[in-house]
Coordinates of all heavy atoms in Angstrom, one line a residue:
A222 N 129.7 63.4 101.6 CA 129.7 63.5 100.1 C 130.6 62.5 99.4 O 130.5 62.3 98.2 CB 130.3 64.9 99.7
S223 N 131.4 61.7 100.2 CA 132.2 60.7 99.6 C 131.8 59.3 100.1 O 132.4 58.3 99.5 CB 133.7 60.9 100.0 OG 133.9 60.8 101.4
G224 N 130.9 59.2 101.0 CA 130.6 57.9 101.5 C 131.7 57.2 102.3 O 131.9 56.0 102.2
A225 N 132.4 58.0 103.1 CA 133.5 57.5 103.9 C 133.1 56.4 104.8 O 132.0 56.4 105.4 CB 134.2 58.6 104.6
D226 N 134.0 55.4 105.1 CA 133.7 54.3 105.9 C 133.7 54.7 107.4 O 133.0 54.1 108.2 CB 134.7 53.2 105.7 CG 134.7 52.6 104.3 OD1 133.8 51.9 104.0 OD2 135.5 53.0 103.5
W227 N 134.5 55.7 107.8 CA 134.5 56.1 109.2 C 134.9 57.6 109.3 O 135.6 58.1 108.4 CB 135.6 55.3 109.9 CG 135.4 55.3 111.4 CD1 136.0 56.2 112.3 CD2 134.6 54.5 112.3 NE1 135.7 56.0 113.6 CE2 134.8 54.9 113.6 CE3 133.8 53.4 112.0 CZ2 134.2 54.3 114.7 CZ3 133.2 52.8 113.1 CH2 133.4 53.3 114.4
L228 N 134.4 58.2 110.3 CA 134.6 59.7 110.5 C 134.9 60.0 111.9 O 134.3 59.5 112.8 CB 133.3 60.4 110.0 CG 133.2 61.8 110.4 CD1 134.1 62.7 109.6 CD2 131.7 62.3 110.1
F229 N 135.9 60.9 112.1 CA 136.2 61.5 113.4 C 136.0 63.0 113.4 O 136.7 63.7 112.6 CB 137.7 61.2 113.7 CG 138.0 59.7 113.9 CD1 138.6 59.0 112.8 CD2 137.9 59.0 115.1 CE1 138.9 57.7 112.9 CE2 138.2 57.7 115.2 CZ 138.7 57.0 114.1
I230 N 135.2 63.5 114.3 CA 135.0 64.9 114.4 C 135.1 65.3 115.9 O 134.7 64.5 116.7 CB 133.7 65.4 113.8 CG1 132.5 64.7 114.4 CG2 133.7 65.3 112.3 CD1 131.2 65.3 114.0
P231 N 135.6 66.5 116.2 CA 135.7 66.9 117.6 C 134.4 67.0 118.4 O 134.3 66.8 119.6 CB 136.4 68.3 117.6 CG 136.2 68.8 116.2 CD 136.1 67.5 115.3
E232 N 133.3 67.3 117.6 CA 132.0 67.5 118.3 C 131.4 66.2 118.8 O 130.5 66.2 119.7 CB 131.0 68.2 117.4 CG 131.2 69.6 117.1 CD 132.2 69.8 115.9 OE1 132.8 68.8 115.4 OE2 132.3 70.9 115.4
C233 N 131.8 65.1 118.3 CA 131.2 63.8 118.7 C 132.3 62.7 118.7 O 132.5 61.9 117.8 CB 130.1 63.4 117.7 SG 129.1 62.0 118.3
P234 N 133.1 62.6 119.8 CA 134.1 61.6 119.9 C 133.5 60.2 119.9 O 132.4 60.0 120.3 CB 134.7 61.9 121.3 CG 134.3 63.3 121.6 CD 133.0 63.5 121.0
P235 N 134.2 59.3 119.3 CA 133.7 57.9 119.2 C 133.6 57.3 120.6 O 134.4 57.7 121.5 CB 134.8 57.2 118.4 CG 136.0 58.0 118.6 CD 135.6 59.4 118.7
E236 N 132.7 56.4 120.8 CA 132.5 55.7 122.1 C 133.7 54.8 122.4 O 134.5 54.5 121.5 CB 131.3 54.8 122.0 CG 131.3 53.8 121.0 CD 130.0 53.1 120.8 OE1 129.0 53.7 120.3 OE2 129.9 51.9 121.1
D237 N 133.9 54.5 123.7 CA 135.0 53.7 124.1 C 135.0 52.4 123.4 O 133.9 51.8 123.2 CB 135.0 53.5 125.6 CG 135.3 54.8 126.4 OD1 135.9 55.7 125.8 OD2 134.8 54.9 127.5
G238 N 136.1 51.9 123.0 CA 136.2 50.6 122.2 C 135.9 50.8 120.8 O 135.7 49.8 120.0
W239 N 136.1 52.1 120.3 CA 135.8 52.3 118.9 C 136.8 51.6 118.0 O 136.5 51.3 116.8 CB 135.9 53.9 118.6 CG 137.2 54.5 118.9 CD1 137.6 55.1 120.1 CD2 138.3 54.6 118.0 NE1 138.9 55.5 120.0 CE2 139.3 55.3 118.7 CE3 138.5 54.2 116.7 CZ2 140.6 55.6 118.1 CZ3 139.8 54.5 116.1 CH2 140.8 55.2 116.8
E240 N 138.0 51.3 118.5 CA 139.0 50.7 117.6 C 138.4 49.3 117.1 O 138.6 49.0 115.9 CB 140.3 50.5 118.4 CG 141.0 51.8 118.8 CD 140.6 52.3 120.1 OE1 139.6 51.9 120.7 OE2 141.4 53.1 120.7
D241 N 137.8 48.6 118.0 CA 137.3 47.2 117.6 C 136.2 47.4 116.6 O 136.1 46.7 115.6 CB 136.8 46.5 118.8 CG 137.9 46.1 119.8 OD1 139.1 46.0 119.3 OD2 137.6 46.1 121.0
I242 N 135.3 48.4 116.9 CA 134.1 48.6 116.0 C 134.5 49.0 114.6 O 134.1 48.5 113.6 CB 133.1 49.6 116.6 CG1 132.6 49.1 118.0 CG2 132.0 49.9 115.7 CD1 131.9 50.2 118.8
M243 N 135.5 49.9 114.6 CA 135.9 50.4 113.3 C 136.6 49.3 112.5 O 136.3 49.2 111.3 CB 136.9 51.6 113.5 CG 137.4 52.2 112.2 SD 138.7 53.5 112.4 CE 140.1 52.4 112.6
C244 N 137.5 48.6 113.1 CA 138.2 47.5 112.4 C 137.2 46.4 111.9 O 137.4 45.9 110.8 CB 139.3 46.9 113.2 SG 140.7 48.1 113.5
T245 N 136.2 46.1 112.7 CA 135.2 45.1 112.3 C 134.5 45.6 111.1 O 134.2 44.9 110.1 CB 134.2 44.9 113.4 OG1 135.0 44.4 114.6 CG2 133.2 43.9 113.0
R246 N 134.1 46.9 111.1 CA 133.3 47.5 110.0 C 134.2 47.5 108.7 O 133.7 47.2 107.6 CB 132.8 48.9 110.3 CG 131.8 49.4 109.4 CD 131.2 50.7 109.9 NE 130.4 50.5 111.2 CZ 129.8 51.5 111.9 NH1 129.9 52.7 111.4 NH2 129.2 51.2 113.0
L247 N 135.4 47.9 108.8 CA 136.3 47.9 107.6 C 136.5 46.5 107.1 O 136.5 46.3 105.8 CB 137.7 48.5 108.0 CG 137.7 50.0 108.5 CD1 139.1 50.4 108.7 CD2 137.1 50.9 107.4
G248 N 136.7 45.6 108.0 CA 136.8 44.2 107.5 C 135.6 43.7 106.8 O 135.6 43.0 105.8
E249 N 134.4 44.0 107.3 CA 133.1 43.6 106.7 C 133.0 44.2 105.3 O 132.5 43.6 104.4 CB 131.9 44.0 107.6 CG 131.8 43.2 108.8 CD 130.7 43.8 109.7 OE1 130.1 44.8 109.4 OE2 130.4 43.1 110.8
S250 N 133.4 45.5 105.2 CA 133.3 46.1 103.9 C 134.2 45.4 102.9 O 133.7 45.2 101.7 CB 133.8 47.6 104.0 OG 133.9 48.2 102.8
R251 N 135.4 45.0 103.2 CA 136.3 44.3 102.3 C 135.7 42.9 102.0 O 135.8 42.4 100.8 CB 137.7 44.1 102.9 CG 138.4 45.4 103.0 CD 138.8 46.0 101.6 NE 139.5 47.2 101.7 CZ 140.9 47.3 101.7 NH1 141.6 46.2 101.5 NH2 141.5 48.5 101.8
S252 N 135.1 42.2 102.9 CA 134.6 40.9 102.7 C 133.4 40.9 101.7 O 133.1 39.9 101.1 CB 134.2 40.3 104.0 OG 133.1 40.9 104.6
R253 N 132.7 42.1 101.6 CA 131.6 42.2 100.7 C 132.1 42.6 99.3 O 131.2 42.9 98.4 CB 130.6 43.2 101.2 CG 129.9 42.7 102.5 CD 128.7 43.7 102.7 NE 128.0 43.3 104.0 CZ 128.2 44.0 105.1 NH1 129.0 45.0 105.1 NH2 127.6 43.6 106.2
G254 N 133.4 42.7 99.1 CA 133.9 43.0 97.8 C 134.4 44.4 97.6 O 134.9 44.7 96.5
S255 N 134.4 45.2 98.6 CA 135.0 46.6 98.4 C 136.5 46.5 98.3 O 137.1 45.7 99.0 CB 134.6 47.5 99.6 OG 135.2 48.7 99.5
R256 N 137.0 47.3 97.4 CA 138.5 47.3 97.2 C 139.2 48.4 97.9 O 140.4 48.6 97.8 CB 138.8 47.4 95.7 CG 138.4 46.1 94.9 CD 138.7 46.3 93.5 NE 140.1 46.5 93.2 CZ 141.0 45.5 93.1 NH1 140.6 44.2 93.2 NH2 142.3 45.8 92.8
L257 N 138.5 49.2 98.6 CA 139.1 50.4 99.3 C 138.3 50.7 100.6 O 137.2 50.4 100.7 CB 139.2 51.6 98.4 CG 137.9 52.4 98.2 CD1 138.3 53.8 97.8 CD2 137.0 51.8 97.2
N258 N 139.0 51.5 101.4 CA 138.4 52.1 102.6 C 138.8 53.6 102.7 O 140.0 53.8 102.5 CB 138.7 51.4 103.9 CG 138.2 49.9 103.9 OD1 139.1 49.0 103.9 ND2 136.9 49.7 103.9
I259 N 137.9 54.4 103.0 CA 138.2 55.9 103.2 C 137.9 56.2 104.7 O 136.7 56.0 105.1 CB 137.5 56.8 102.2 CG1 137.9 56.5 100.8 CG2 137.8 58.2 102.6 CD1 139.3 56.8 100.4
I260 N 138.8 56.7 105.4 CA 138.6 57.2 106.8 C 138.9 58.7 106.8 O 140.0 59.1 106.3 CB 139.5 56.5 107.8 CG1 139.2 55.0 107.8 CG2 139.3 57.1 109.2 CD1 140.2 54.1 108.5
I261 N 138.0 59.5 107.2 CA 138.2 61.0 107.3 C 138.3 61.4 108.7 O 137.5 61.1 109.6 CB 137.1 61.7 106.5 CG1 137.2 61.3 105.0 CG2 137.3 63.2 106.7 CD1 136.1 62.0 104.2
I262 N 139.3 62.2 109.0 CA 139.6 62.7 110.4 C 139.8 64.2 110.4 O 140.6 64.7 109.6 CB 140.7 61.9 111.0 CG1 141.0 62.3 112.4 CG2 142.0 62.0 110.1 CD1 142.0 61.4 113.2
A263 N 139.1 64.9 111.2 CA 139.3 66.3 111.4 C 140.6 66.5 112.3 O 140.8 65.7 113.2 CB 138.1 67.0 112.1
E264 N 141.4 67.5 112.0 CA 142.6 67.7 112.8 C 142.4 67.8 114.3 O 143.3 67.6 115.0 CB 143.4 68.9 112.2 CG 142.7 70.2 112.4 CD 143.5 71.4 111.9 OE1 144.8 71.3 112.0 OE2 142.9 72.4 111.4
G265 N 141.2 68.2 114.7 CA 140.9 68.4 116.1 C 140.2 67.2 116.7 O 139.6 67.4 117.8
A266 N 140.2 66.1 116.1 CA 139.5 64.9 116.6 C 140.0 64.5 117.9 O 141.2 64.5 118.2 CB 139.6 63.8 115.6
I267 N 139.1 64.1 118.8 CA 139.5 63.7 120.2 C 138.6 62.4 120.5 O 137.6 62.1 119.9 CB 139.2 64.8 121.2 CG1 137.8 65.2 121.1 CG2 140.2 65.9 121.0 CD1 137.4 66.2 122.2
D268 N 139.1 61.7 121.6 CA 138.3 60.6 122.1 C 137.4 61.1 123.3 O 137.4 62.3 123.6 CB 139.2 59.4 122.5 CG 140.2 59.8 123.7 OD1 139.9 60.8 124.4 OD2 141.2 59.1 123.9
Q269 N 136.8 60.2 124.0 CA 135.8 60.6 125.0 C 136.5 61.2 126.2 O 135.9 62.0 127.0 CB 135.1 59.3 125.5 CG 134.1 58.7 124.5 CD 132.8 59.5 124.5 OE1 132.5 60.3 125.4 NE2 132.0 59.4 123.4
N270 N 137.8 61.0 126.3 CA 138.6 61.6 127.4 C 139.2 62.9 127.0 O 140.0 63.5 127.8 CB 139.6 60.6 127.9 CG 139.0 59.3 128.5 OD1 138.0 59.4 129.2 ND2 139.6 58.2 128.1
G271 N 139.0 63.4 125.8 CA 139.6 64.6 125.4 C 141.0 64.5 124.8 O 141.6 65.5 124.5
E272 N 141.4 63.2 124.7 CA 142.8 63.0 124.1 C 142.7 63.0 122.6 O 141.8 62.5 122.0 CB 143.3 61.6 124.6 CG 143.6 61.6 126.1 CD 144.6 62.6 126.6 OE1 145.6 62.8 125.9 OE2 144.3 63.3 127.6
P273 N 143.7 63.6 121.9 CA 143.7 63.6 120.5 C 143.8 62.3 119.8 O 144.4 61.3 120.3 CB 145.0 64.4 120.1 CG 145.4 65.1 121.4 CD 144.9 64.2 122.5
I274 N 143.0 62.1 118.7 CA 143.1 61.0 117.8 C 143.8 61.4 116.6 O 143.3 62.2 115.8 CB 141.7 60.4 117.5 CG1 141.0 60.0 118.8 CG2 141.8 59.2 116.5 CD1 139.5 59.5 118.5
T275 N 145.0 60.9 116.3 CA 145.8 61.4 115.2 C 145.6 60.4 114.0 O 145.2 59.3 114.1 CB 147.3 61.4 115.5 OG1 147.7 60.1 115.8 CG2 147.5 62.3 116.8
S276 N 145.9 61.0 112.8 CA 145.8 60.2 111.6 C 146.8 59.0 111.6 O 146.5 57.9 111.1 CB 146.0 61.1 110.4 OG 147.1 61.9 110.5

Side-chain angles (χ1 to χ4, degrees):
S223 64
D226 297 281
W227 196 270
L228 168 67
F229 297 95
I230 58 173
E232 291 87 349
C233 190
E236 59 190 68
D237 292 336
W239 62 268
E240 293 93 339
D241 296 331
I242 300 170
M243 184 188 75
C244 291
T245 300
R246 194 171 295 178
L247 296 181
E249 288 174 354
S250 172
R251 290 294 180 95
S252 66
R253 293 192 185 100
S255 175
R256 292 179 60 85
L257 78 157
N258 299 113
I259 299 292
I260 300 168
I261 296 179
I262 179 169
E264 62 178 326
I267 55 174
D268 62 19
Q269 289 284 342
N270 300 314
E272 295 299 316
I274 298 175
T275 66
S276 49

